Amino acid sequence: EDAYAEESECVISPNTDKQFYHVDHDRSGTEMDGLPTKKFEVASADLGNRGVLFGGIGWYSRLQFPHLNNILELGERVSIESAYLRIYPEVGSWSADNPLPDSLYLYIVDENNVVTDAVMDYLGEEVQSGTLYEDDTYRENTYYSFDVSEFMQEELGASGQYKHGLQLVFNDDTYTQTFRNMTFNDQQSDYPIVLQLIFKVYESY
């Protein structure tokens, strides 16, 4: 008889009631030693003046701008024309085994870290992924850039419970399927996070 191949499909459906995934991690000897493991906000000052993103254990960073309203004191009326956020990964924190992600994302959060919106691209159609500028010669000039103009315009003048922050995160697959991590510095560093504002000041004469 002639042999022939017959194509068929095998569907394996796991029993999700009995599946369990668990990650143990040892943070002893690090800046995270002694800190709570979940549902706790940690100041960058308690992490060696760093922000941290960490897959597997779900760490993300909240960015706040407590002094934004200070520019309102410069004139009778102030408007923000543009705003760009630069985030510099800490030199030495990435390698071939832990490469920098192609994309990072910003979400808008309220005082309770509840996401209320996303920082969108210039078309307003997709969540802005940031642009990675890599400098292979001078690694300290490697950074992610975000256009946060609309967010800053809306945030200017807000106070109390109406103020918002930004949540910096990996994409979902990186958090759930990898242990990739990235650290960056707050403003107490040689390569601090930078908010570049262009604004107009109006006076009455």
Side-chain angles (χ1 to χ4, degrees):
E1 296 183 4
D2 294 332
Y4 64 95
E6 180 178 345
E7 184 176 343
S8 60
E9 182 179 350
C10 177
V11 178
I12 300 175
S13 300
N15 184 342
T16 56
D17 292 334
K18 295 183 179 179
Q19 279 190 315
F20 177 70
Y21 295 95
H22 177 74
V23 175
D24 285 318
H25 56 284
D26 182 3
R27 304 187 305 191
S28 58
T30 73
E31 298 285 352
M32 297 181 184
D33 192 2
L35 296 174
T37 58
K38 59 183 178 180
K39 295 183 179 180
F40 193 85
E41 191 170 290
V42 180
S44 59
D46 295 328
L47 290 172
N49 298 115
R50 295 181 180 93
V52 178
L53 306 182
F54 211 121
I57 59 176
W59 279 63
Y60 62 87
S61 290
R62 177 188 173 101
L63 309 177
Q64 301 183 117
F65 308 90
H67 306 298
L68 177 65
N69 286 343
N70 289 357
I71 65 174
L72 292 174
E73 302 172 4
L74 300 177
E76 189 170 313
R77 188 165 69 88
V78 177
S79 67
I80 292 177
E81 300 298 301
S82 65
Y84 292 91
L85 186 68
R86 286 187 177 185
I87 297 172
Y88 293 82
E90 185 175 21
V91 176
S93 68
W94 76 90
S95 65
D97 294 325
N98 183 44
L100 291 175
D102 293 330
S103 302
L104 297 176
Y105 300 89
L106 285 174
Y107 290 88
I108 301 170
V109 293
D110 65 16
E111 59 183 353
N112 298 312
N113 282 332
V114 175
V115 173
T116 62
D117 208 340
V119 176
M120 308 299 286
D121 62 13
Y122 71 99
L123 295 176
E125 297 176 354
E126 296 182 359
V127 179
Q128 189 179 158
S129 60
T131 301
L132 174 60
Y133 294 91
E134 293 188 83
D135 188 331
D136 295 329
T137 303
Y138 303 102
R139 304 191 82 189
E140 60 268 20
N141 290 330
T142 293
Y143 63 90
Y144 292 88
S145 179
F146 294 88
D147 184 343
V148 292
S149 302
E150 184 175 348
F151 170 76
M152 290 299 168
Q153 290 163 1
E154 294 179 354
E155 196 67 11
L156 186 62
S159 61
Q161 64 179 341
Y162 300 105
K163 286 187 70 64
H164 293 83
L166 293 175
Q167 184 185 91
L168 181 68
V169 299
F170 290 138
N171 63 35
D172 288 343
D173 287 345
T174 300
Y175 273 121
T176 59
Q177 300 177 23
T178 77
F179 292 104
R180 289 174 67 174
N181 59 86
M182 190 191 86
T183 62
F184 60 97
N185 297 116
D186 64 13
Q187 292 188 307
Q188 309 302 315
S189 166
D190 292 337
Y191 303 99
I193 187 171
V194 172
L195 175 63
Q196 183 180 28
L197 288 175
I198 297 177
F199 55 88
K200 287 183 179 178
V201 178
Y202 300 87
E203 296 282 6
S204 295
Y205 295 101

